[in-house]
Amino acid sequence: MKAPLLYNGNMKTLEQWLDQYAASHQNRTNQIFHKICVPLIFFSVLGMLWDWRVMGLRISYVFAILGMLFYVRLGLKAIVLMLIQLAVSFGILTLWSGQAGTVFWPSLAIFVVAWVGQFIGHKIEGKKPSFFEDLQFLFIGPLWVFSFVFKSKS
């Protein structure tokens, strides 16, 4: 088994990434788990970083900017989709933190519960998560959940 990598030199297209990710997400129940849990994990990671600042800048913004560097390689559709997901997440976090103060602990709880859901889905599927092969698949999950926007209507 090859060790998971963050960048292994492969310059795959968006379609190649989505096809490879889909290969371990064929079971309908696993797909449902992922379509619920992946956006929750995405949101909760931003939430866990939300309260931390460096020189007044939220770490969640820095994380988002660094993450966008991955999506830039995949093209405009990936960029737009991820910017929408970020805008929605940051909007919710802004409102939520304004009401609750800290969002770290609830975000951590969401993160744990959502990962449990992911692993239940993979147990049902009978296949290990894609990111065990390549950590870049952690970036593909949020795109895969909304991959219907990438399908052509031909």
Side-chain angles (χ1 to χ4, degrees):
M1 179 175 128
K2 82 177 187 187
L5 301 169
L6 186 55
Y7 177 72
N8 62 11
N10 292 338
M11 294 296 290
K12 297 175 190 167
T13 66
L14 175 59
E15 293 75 23
Q16 289 170 321
W17 279 114
L18 292 173
D19 288 346
Q20 282 186 321
Y21 190 89
S24 61
H25 301 85
Q26 296 296 306
N27 178 279
R28 184 71 183 132
T29 303
N30 188 26
Q31 291 174 356
I32 292 168
F33 270 101
H34 277 65
K35 289 183 180 191
I36 294 167
C37 294
V38 167
L40 288 173
I41 291 168
F42 180 85
F43 173 79
S44 67
V45 167
L46 295 172
M48 287 186 293
L49 299 172
W50 184 256
D51 295 332
W52 299 357
R53 296 174 190 251
V54 172
M55 296 185 296
L57 182 64
R58 291 189 187 279
I59 297 298
S60 55
Y61 295 158
V62 174
F63 181 79
I65 291 166
L66 293 174
M68 287 304 295
L69 296 175
F70 177 85
Y71 299 112
V72 166
R73 298 182 311 146
L74 299 178
L76 186 60
K77 287 181 183 179
I79 293 167
V80 170
L81 181 57
M82 293 313 298
L83 286 174
I84 291 169
Q85 289 185 63
L86 285 167
V88 169
S89 295
F90 287 149
I92 292 168
L93 287 167
T94 299
L95 294 172
W96 191 17
S97 66
Q99 296 294 316
T102 184
V103 296
F104 176 81
W105 294 110
S107 295
L108 178 61
I110 292 168
F111 182 83
V112 170
V113 169
W115 271 110
V116 168
Q118 294 277 78
F119 283 107
I120 290 170
H122 277 288
K123 180 73 173 166
I124 292 167
E125 176 93 30
K127 295 179 184 168
K128 63 184 175 181
S130 302
F131 73 87
F132 283 2
E133 290 297 320
D134 189 333
L135 288 176
Q136 293 178 96
F137 280 111
L138 291 171
F139 290 96
I140 298 303
L143 291 172
W144 178 82
V145 167
F146 298 102
S147 62
F148 61 88
V149 302
F150 301 117
K151 305 280 190 237
S152 64
K153 298 182 180 178
S154 52

